[in-house]
Amino acid sequence: VARRGFGDMAVSSSIGSNIFDILVGLPVPWFFSTTVVFPGTTVPIKSCGLTVMVLTLFLMVAAVVSIIHWSGWVMSRRLGYAMVSLYVLFLAESLFLEYSPVAQCDA
């Protein structure tokens, strides 16, 4: 899509798909699990770094919007590298918080 001159669509798709995953992809299976499969149960979330990751995601959204604004709302190779770099940083942080022996908690 971006190579055909529709960089805005590519960026919108990448952001929109993540929003869809969070608003539909997580709650719908959990809803069916707790109402149909195992009624009255809950879904335990065992993540010590969840709060940090949620705060980081909000910062990432602000950073992505700022970077897109600074690039003049035009998809460029430099903007693509910046977005991939932010993703890699978040992925590294998430993996560290979940699997590092230093970051263990009593969950």
Side-chain angles (χ1 to χ4, degrees):
V1 175
R3 289 182 186 235
R4 288 190 234 148
F6 299 108
D8 295 343
M9 286 177 62
V11 172
S12 297
S13 175
S14 68
I15 294 171
S17 66
N18 290 323
I19 292 170
F20 178 83
D21 290 344
I22 291 170
L23 295 178
V24 176
L26 290 175
V28 169
W30 288 348
F31 174 76
F32 282 118
S33 173
T34 58
T35 59
V36 177
V37 181
F38 304 108
T41 62
T42 60
V43 177
I45 300 172
K46 299 175 183 175
S47 175
C48 299
L50 186 63
T51 304
V52 174
M53 286 187 273
V54 168
L55 292 173
T56 303
L57 281 175
F58 281 117
L59 292 173
M60 290 290 183
V61 169
V64 166
V65 171
S66 298
I67 291 170
I68 292 171
H69 175 72
W70 291 328
S71 70
W73 303 95
V74 175
M75 184 68 181
S76 64
R77 190 173 300 268
R78 191 172 174 190
L79 175 60
Y81 287 137
M83 292 178 79
V84 168
S85 298
L86 286 173
Y87 176 73
V88 169
L89 283 172
F90 176 74
L91 186 62
E93 177 196 40
S94 298
L95 291 172
F96 176 77
L97 289 173
E98 291 299 320
Y99 298 111
S100 171
V102 175
Q104 293 298 320
C105 68
D106 298 327

